[in-house]
Amino acid sequence: MKLINYSYETLEALEHFAKTYFRPNDHLLIQIFCGSFDKLKITEILHFLKQTFPKSIIIGASTAGEIKSGRIKTGTIQISFCRLEKSVAKVYYFQDVNFESGQKAAESILEKETKVCIALAHPFAKDDSENFIEGFNSIRADMPLAGGNAADEFLFESAFIICENKILDQGIVIATLSGKTLHVNNGYSLGWTQIGKELSVTKVNKGTIYEIDHQPIQEVYQHYLGKDVVQNLPSSAVEFPFVKVCDEIEVCRSLIGVNEDGSLIFSGYLNEGEKVRFAIGNVEEIMDRAVAIQEQINEKPVEAIFIYSCSVRKRFLQKQLNYEFGLLQQIAPTAGFFTYGEFFHSEHKNQLLNVTTTVLALSESDYIISHTLGEKPEVNCSTLKSLTHLVNTTQYELDVNINFLNQYKMILDQSAIVSKMDIKGNIIYVNDAFCRVTGLSKEEIIGSKHSRFRHPNSEVSLYRDLWNSLQRKEIWSGVLHCINPKEEIYYIKSTVMPFLDEKGNIVEYITSSIDITDLVLKEQLIEQHFKDELTGFGNREALFHRLRTDTGQKLLVLLNLVGFSEINDYLGYDVGDDLLKQIADFLMQTFDNHSDVIFRINGDEFAVLLAERDQKMFHNLRDKIKRMIRSLENKVFTIKGYEVVVRLNVGVAEGMTDEIYMQSHVALKEAKTHNQAFMFYDSNEALKVKTKQNIQVIQKIRSAIENDRIVPFFQGIYDNKLHKITKYEVLMRLQEEDGNYLTPYHFLDQAKKTRLYEKLTKIMIHKSFEYLKDFSVDFSINLTKGDILSSSVKECLYENMKKYKCAHRVIFEIVESEGIENFSEITSFIHEVKQLGCRIAIDDFGTGYSNFAYLVKLEVDIIKIDGSLIKDIDTNETSAMTVETIISFAKKMGYSIVAEFVDRMSVQEKLQSLHVDFSQGYLFSKPSPIISL
């Protein structure tokens, strides 16, 4: 490869030059750079070149100045002859300069060995070269483009491009260079130093900018560059381009025009949201960069260098450019021109640059020739350099502080509800979070006062204290109860601070709040979860929470109302409920009105928990409890015209851990067994033995859970009409280490006194659903009220029903013998699962709270009559009459009926005569770990 430049004078002189240096069959890349716009003369030159060198290609452009052998020329015609020995050059022309033609070029002109494209574009095309480049990048962003837009010495009317022997007033011409041994190296120099703060482009259309930082563009120029600059735009500000960073290089956008609407036209695209800064030419940086490019180009093989430099640089930097180009000429011959925009391939794509010098170095040789590089001349520009450094260092420090402040604001806006008020309390600013919590727009809020969101139940004194604190120039913090116009209640934890000026006067107030509505509501839910719905005192969960968290000495009294179910059965639930309330109040009064020591833990069971601070009330413990029992049993409660008295069984235990619940429960059971009014755990050795046994049972449960020995058994339910088993009840079994199985009778009571019960329930759900997924039979799962109230158990149920898509086969048996409290939560659960297709059965009906009114409220589908009534129905007339009554009611209500404990044919025959729907018992099916259909 060899590059030879020629300055055109006459056609005869060109002919002599051509014959001297080249042969007709030479393959040449000829570039013609025209500072003269005499098209007739140029046409003669093109015809001569095409005739003389038929195997060559010709491209060219009008210029704002020409570059020959490292020197700047003006108004000349420069012809660059590059002889290719191993490479191939081809030329293409595209009339349209837009995105689609850029794509077409990338798809059609590139060959396997193509290494670079040199493109020369008309600068005033219907679209523009930057759009073309974007289209080209969309297909082949890896292929370097060099060259630039044609120019015309700032006339903006006479530019043209050349393709072969044609002079064109539109389009783009591209020369491709291909070859296995072709080396391509490129670089660019800017030397304009960014200065001042970073600005955001907020309104733009390609190269036309309307607003920067939401301010009109001309106001921005006036603010930063002074009033005079806007008097003579664009020429007054052309040397202060905007600079952005794109693909890790600095990209300038020079001001080239003004629109009637005040918007400004730039020589290249800017996008909305892009960050830009003003830049100023820095002579010393330009010199430094010239040396850097020389060193960069010198590191690889170089035989020819093409330079495409911005016309703005020629206008302001002729002296420095001669130095810049001279350094490159020391390496290899140079040729090029001054453009209206340069094409450059950065790390990942091609871009349109401004105010730069771009360099394309080519070589067909693999050898790197080391050149002796000249020394950088001294440049006396220390004042500008120091001033620029001062401004940018100051701006950097300011940017750091602003960045911190913006991050503080960002996290504050994300995590807090923020507002500002003027000194009269009028809201002057709110963030988006404030709008969300109030349900109003900023426009609807600004100008109003915070009092419009004050809840009517808020304490007036709270707000009085708030304003008094602010007037004293103090910070106020507290929780505010609020309501928005949609009547949605919310709670915010607020901090209000007065802002002071340099004289210490209040100029405004700022409020930062956190929405704690969820926290308050959760606290309310927790309080409800720990509260007995009927009496308002603590419930079973509250008692266990206190037992676990209070580590001091405690005394627990469990009281059971003997025969309470009879009051419900004969006098009605309204009377029973009222009685429970009055007993709770009586206990509270007995223990000095300490409501937090009274708990209703079951339908007919209360607890009194006394901590160390209450021990003085039990100086004579046994006598005190006896008097309490006597007083309660002697008290006549008058309710709805009935006079009601109660009898009690009481168990008492004392200690420091939650084991006292088990101990007091054992004492209570012992009192029931021996029909005694009360029993003290610590005075009865037999009870301690039972407790030890209970602890062993709990350890056995833990071991079974850890070793996967909790297994489901299945007992068939016989359809008395179809005469076959059609359903199965899931039953829990504990497999002991010796392989034997224990029924729940031996361990479930103890599990319920610990957290293990919930684990057992979820194990049964997982295993039974997994096993029954392949059987097309209905199956029932037993649930206690504790299961229904447990969110984790319900979640486990819903997950398995969704996973196995079997809700229509599931029956939930609610254990009726425990009594049904927390009525709203139970009915809510029933409604949810019935919506999914499940059915509800009441288990053990005929014991406990056998109130028919409750069945209607619970919307049940099936009644399972307790085995204690079924087992002797064939011989016991009372049992038979009771069962007949239940069946008659169930038939009228449309319930299905299941009879339990059917173990003899005589019992089954009796049930069939009563038209019972289903029978369950050993007569038909014994519980088994497998199902055989």
Side-chain angles (χ1 to χ4, degrees):
M1 176 181 289
K2 186 172 185 179
L3 175 63
I4 301 175
N5 294 315
Y6 176 75
S7 296
Y8 179 81
E9 294 177 354
T10 65
L11 202 58
E12 291 77 13
L14 174 61
E15 184 177 359
H16 176 73
F17 172 84
K19 288 180 179 180
T20 302
Y21 288 95
F22 305 106
R23 296 183 297 274
N25 289 329
D26 283 347
H27 182 44
L28 305 174
L29 166 63
I30 302 174
Q31 295 183 72
I32 180 166
F33 307 119
C34 303
S36 167
F37 306 131
D38 185 344
K39 292 185 178 179
L40 182 60
K41 181 192 297 184
I42 297 169
T43 301
E44 290 178 350
I45 296 171
L46 295 176
H47 281 297
F48 169 77
L49 293 173
K50 202 62 191 168
Q51 271 188 326
T52 306
F53 304 110
K55 294 185 178 180
S56 300
I57 68 163
I58 305 171
I59 63 173
S62 59
T63 76
E66 305 79 59
I67 303 167
K68 176 193 176 186
S69 302
R71 306 303 295 176
I72 298 173
K73 305 291 183 179
T74 302
T76 67
I77 298 176
Q78 298 294 328
I79 306 174
S80 162
F81 296 86
C82 183
R83 184 166 57 209
L84 303 175
E85 298 172 353
K86 302 177 184 178
S87 305
V88 176
K90 295 183 180 180
V91 66
Y92 304 89
Y93 171 71
F94 296 90
Q95 182 174 332
D96 295 322
V97 186
N98 54 34
F99 188 89
E100 290 75 17
S101 59
Q103 289 183 313
K104 182 180 178 181
E107 291 170 337
S108 62
I109 70 175
L110 303 180
E111 300 175 351
K112 183 179 180 181
E113 301 297 337
T114 301
K115 298 292 180 65
V116 68
C117 299
I118 299 175
L120 304 177
H122 195 278
F124 316 128
K126 181 178 65 175
D127 213 321
D128 55 59
S129 55
E130 188 163 10
N131 217 0
F132 181 94
I133 290 172
E134 289 183 357
F136 191 94
N137 284 336
S138 70
I139 305 298
R140 287 294 302 274
D142 62 309
M143 177 59 63
L145 275 178
N149 290 325
D152 61 357
E153 197 61 71
F154 297 100
L155 298 175
F156 299 108
E157 59 184 17
S158 306
F160 57 83
I161 58 173
I162 295 170
C163 180
E164 297 289 77
N165 59 356
K166 293 180 181 179
I167 300 173
L168 303 164
D169 293 326
Q170 61 180 348
I172 185 169
V173 60
I174 303 177
T176 62
L177 296 175
S178 305
K180 289 184 178 181
T181 62
L182 182 63
H183 296 279
V184 177
N185 189 11
N186 70 341
Y188 89 110
S189 173
L190 177 57
W192 255 248
T193 300
Q194 297 184 49
I195 191 168
K197 67 173 288 189
E198 191 173 61
L199 308 170
S200 292
V201 179
T202 50
K203 187 177 181 182
V204 65
N205 181 16
K206 295 185 176 178
T208 300
I209 298 183
Y210 299 90
E211 292 181 1
I212 294 283
D213 283 347
H214 301 288
Q215 300 297 317
I217 180 67
Q218 290 202 34
E219 290 185 14
V220 173
Y221 266 80
Q222 180 174 315
H223 178 72
Y224 288 107
L225 300 180
K227 293 181 181 179
D228 294 340
V229 78
V230 298
Q231 302 302 318
N232 196 26
L233 294 174
S235 60
S236 58
V238 71
E239 61 183 298
F240 297 100
F242 280 137
V243 175
K244 65 176 181 176
V245 176
C246 184
D247 199 25
E248 300 181 2
I249 69 168
E250 292 181 324
V251 178
C252 268
R253 290 294 178 250
S254 297
L255 178 60
I256 59 172
V258 182
N259 291 319
E260 291 183 1
D261 61 4
S263 60
L264 301 182
I265 305 169
F266 290 79
S267 57
Y269 289 179
L270 287 163
N271 300 310
E272 190 169 308
E274 280 190 317
K275 303 295 184 182
V276 297
R277 293 172 71 186
F278 282 108
I280 185 171
N282 187 330
V283 175
E284 186 156 332
E285 185 175 339
I286 290 169
M287 306 296 258
D288 288 341
R289 184 59 190 158
V291 173
I293 285 188
Q294 185 192 43
E295 292 174 347
Q296 176 187 339
I297 298 299
N298 198 40
E299 289 176 353
K300 294 184 179 180
V302 183
E303 293 179 295
I305 297 175
F306 298 117
I307 301 171
Y308 308 99
S309 185
C310 183
S311 54
V312 174
R313 291 173 78 87
K314 175 175 176 283
R315 185 170 179 177
F316 293 103
L317 300 169
Q318 281 212 21
K319 181 179 179 181
Q320 290 77 24
L321 288 179
N322 278 320
Y323 168 68
E324 183 176 65
F325 299 160
L327 293 180
L328 295 171
Q329 181 67 28
Q330 293 177 15
I331 301 174
T334 59
F337 77 104
F338 288 97
T339 76
Y340 282 168
E342 307 79 62
F343 306 152
F344 180 73
H345 188 267
S346 53
E347 185 174 0
H348 301 104
K349 64 179 181 179
N350 295 292
Q351 299 193 64
L352 173 66
L353 306 184
N354 301 130
V355 200
T356 60
T357 292
T358 62
V359 177
L360 175 65
L362 301 175
S363 177
E364 293 177 313
S365 169
D366 294 332
Y367 295 105
I368 299 175
I369 301 173
S370 179
H371 298 88
T372 302
L373 305 179
E375 293 184 2
K376 172 186 169 186
E378 291 186 10
V379 180
N380 186 18
C381 54
S382 58
T383 301
L384 177 60
K385 181 178 180 181
S386 298
L387 179 60
T388 304
H389 182 76
L390 172 63
V391 172
N392 283 336
T393 300
T394 304
Q395 184 64 49
Y396 172 76
E397 292 172 351
L398 183 59
D399 288 343
V400 168
N401 291 330
I402 291 174
N403 180 49
F404 279 120
L405 290 174
N406 285 336
Q407 291 183 71
Y408 292 146
K409 181 180 182 297
M410 184 185 300
I411 192 169
L412 192 63
D413 279 337
Q414 290 294 321
S415 62
I417 301 161
V418 181
S419 64
K420 290 201 297 185
M421 300 174 286
D422 62 21
I423 56 175
K424 294 182 179 180
N426 299 311
I427 299 173
I428 57 176
Y429 167 81
V430 294
N431 67 348
D432 292 339
F434 195 106
C435 296
R436 285 194 296 271
V437 77
T438 60
L440 298 175
S441 67
K442 292 182 180 180
E443 292 74 17
E444 291 173 308
I445 298 169
I446 301 299
S448 61
K449 296 181 183 293
H450 284 89
S451 56
R452 71 184 291 193
F453 306 112
R454 183 190 304 174
H455 194 280
N457 296 339
S458 298
E459 296 181 14
V460 176
S461 60
L462 183 71
Y463 286 86
R464 188 184 302 117
D465 174 60
L466 185 158
W467 279 107
N468 288 339
S469 297
L470 295 180
Q471 295 310 306
R472 293 192 300 269
K473 302 177 183 178
E474 299 173 351
I475 297 174
W476 180 89
S477 295
V479 175
L480 301 177
H481 186 190
C482 304
I483 186 169
N484 65 24
K486 296 180 181 179
E487 297 189 351
E488 297 169 334
I489 296 171
Y490 60 97
Y491 298 85
I492 54 176
K493 185 175 183 180
S494 298
T495 299
V496 189
M497 175 181 171
F499 265 45
L500 310 178
D501 62 16
E502 65 278 3
K503 297 179 181 179
N505 298 318
I506 298 174
V507 292
E508 62 183 19
Y509 305 95
I510 186 167
T511 302
S512 174
S513 306
I514 301 173
D515 188 345
I516 59 170
T517 306
D518 288 345
L519 182 61
V520 172
L521 294 179
K522 283 177 182 177
E523 287 179 351
Q524 291 174 352
L525 286 173
I526 291 170
E527 185 177 341
Q528 293 173 7
H529 182 70
F530 281 172
K531 184 181 290 187
D532 175 54
E533 190 175 324
L534 178 65
T535 64
F537 290 90
N539 58 12
R540 180 186 182 90
E541 287 76 16
L543 173 63
F544 278 105
H545 178 73
R546 284 278 301 279
L547 287 171
R548 287 192 297 269
T549 56
D550 189 343
T551 57
Q553 188 72 12
K554 299 176 287 290
L555 182 137
L556 179 63
V557 183
L558 294 184
L559 304 94
N560 179 255
L561 305 181
V562 179
F564 179 72
S565 60
E566 297 173 2
I567 295 173
N568 279 326
D569 290 341
Y570 296 112
L571 301 183
Y573 271 82
D574 290 345
V575 174
D577 289 348
D578 208 341
L579 175 62
L580 293 172
K581 293 177 186 177
Q582 292 195 32
I583 291 173
D585 289 336
F586 176 87
L587 292 172
M588 183 182 70
Q589 294 168 14
T590 302
F591 294 99
D592 295 344
N593 290 314
H594 287 180
S595 61
D596 60 334
V597 304
I598 311 300
F599 303 86
R600 179 174 173 240
I601 60 174
N602 212 325
D604 55 1
E605 199 166 296
F606 288 87
V608 178
L609 179 63
L610 301 175
E612 198 166 4
R613 61 181 172 84
D614 305 302
Q615 292 299 310
K616 59 183 180 180
M617 293 188 293
F618 282 83
H619 180 66
N620 192 341
L621 187 61
R622 285 168 174 74
D623 289 342
K624 180 75 174 181
I625 294 178
K626 287 178 182 178
R627 287 196 298 272
M628 179 195 70
I629 296 170
R630 193 178 303 115
S631 298
L632 193 52
E633 289 186 334
N634 290 337
K635 182 174 176 59
V636 178
F637 297 92
T638 303
I639 305 170
K640 299 185 184 301
Y642 298 105
E643 292 184 345
V644 182
V645 295
V646 296
R647 290 184 298 113
L648 299 174
N649 291 132
V650 178
V652 184
E654 187 175 1
M656 298 182 69
T657 68
D658 57 2
E659 288 184 359
I660 61 172
Y661 177 79
M662 182 186 296
Q663 295 167 354
S664 58
H665 200 272
V666 170
L668 175 61
K669 289 186 73 172
E670 194 71 11
K672 287 181 179 180
T673 302
H674 298 285
N675 198 24
Q676 294 182 10
F678 67 91
M679 183 70 69
F680 285 87
Y681 175 83
D682 59 356
S683 62
N684 191 318
E685 289 299 323
L687 297 185
K688 295 181 180 179
V689 172
K690 286 187 177 180
T691 302
K692 184 177 180 181
Q693 293 172 346
N694 290 341
I695 292 173
Q696 291 173 344
V697 170
I698 291 172
Q699 290 173 341
K700 185 176 290 188
I701 297 170
R702 282 201 178 96
S703 175
I705 292 173
E706 291 171 0
N707 294 285
D708 195 25
R709 288 189 279 105
I710 300 297
V711 295
F713 271 46
F714 307 95
Q715 185 175 31
I717 301 176
Y718 185 80
D719 188 318
N720 291 326
K721 292 180 182 177
L722 299 177
H723 304 294
K724 64 178 182 177
I725 291 174
T726 58
K727 300 179 177 64
Y728 286 85
E729 179 179 359
V730 180
L731 302 168
M732 187 187 302
R733 294 293 186 265
L734 187 155
Q735 187 179 23
E736 296 191 279
E737 293 181 0
D738 61 4
N740 291 323
Y741 291 98
L742 292 180
T743 66
Y745 173 82
H746 297 92
F747 63 87
L748 207 56
D749 277 350
Q750 304 310 317
K752 288 180 180 179
K753 298 171 188 176
T754 69
R755 291 177 177 268
L756 299 175
Y757 176 73
E758 198 170 274
K759 292 183 179 179
L760 294 176
T761 303
K762 289 192 280 190
I763 290 171
M764 289 297 294
I765 292 169
H766 283 302
K767 288 192 173 184
S768 58
F769 274 73
E770 169 65 24
Y771 180 78
L772 291 166
K773 70 179 187 297
D774 298 323
F775 294 89
S776 58
V777 295
D778 296 348
F779 60 96
S780 59
I781 301 283
N782 287 285
L783 296 179
T784 66
K785 66 175 183 295
D787 294 326
I788 296 172
L789 297 176
S790 167
S791 58
S792 66
V793 170
K794 287 191 288 188
E795 184 179 343
C796 178
L797 280 171
Y798 293 143
E799 285 178 356
N800 278 273
M801 286 192 288
K802 181 179 180 181
K803 178 179 179 181
Y804 297 108
K805 297 181 175 58
C806 62
H808 62 287
R809 296 198 287 124
V810 177
I811 302 165
F812 291 117
E813 296 189 17
I814 300 176
V815 182
E816 193 269 345
S817 61
E818 287 192 342
I820 299 171
E821 305 164 33
N822 302 88
F823 208 83
S824 61
E825 295 188 52
I826 302 294
T827 54
S828 175
F829 169 78
I830 290 174
H831 179 73
E832 287 176 9
V833 296
K834 292 193 75 171
Q835 288 284 98
L836 297 174
C838 304
R839 284 159 288 170
I840 300 297
I842 294 296
D843 196 14
D844 298 338
F845 192 79
T847 64
Y849 295 89
S850 297
N851 188 303
F852 293 116
Y854 266 47
L855 292 179
V856 177
K857 292 180 181 178
L858 292 174
E859 301 181 65
V860 302
D861 302 288
I862 302 166
I863 292 176
K864 298 190 74 171
I865 304 176
D866 187 67
S868 62
L869 297 174
I870 298 298
K871 64 183 179 182
D872 60 353
I873 191 175
D874 56 336
T875 58
N876 187 319
E877 290 187 9
T878 302
S879 295
M881 289 175 60
T882 303
V883 171
E884 286 178 23
T885 302
I886 295 172
I887 292 171
S888 175
F889 171 77
K891 294 293 184 183
K892 289 178 181 179
M893 296 302 297
Y895 303 149
S896 296
I897 304 166
V898 179
E900 299 181 299
F901 282 40
V902 180
D903 58 359
R904 302 191 304 279
M905 184 53 70
S906 57
V907 172
Q908 173 64 4
E909 290 172 351
K910 179 67 175 177
L911 294 171
Q912 287 179 319
S913 70
L914 295 174
H915 304 291
V916 170
D917 301 298
F918 299 93
S919 297
Q920 179 178 352
Y922 279 23
L923 181 63
F924 302 103
S925 171
K926 292 183 179 181
S928 170
I930 59 172
I931 292 177
S932 300
L933 295 180

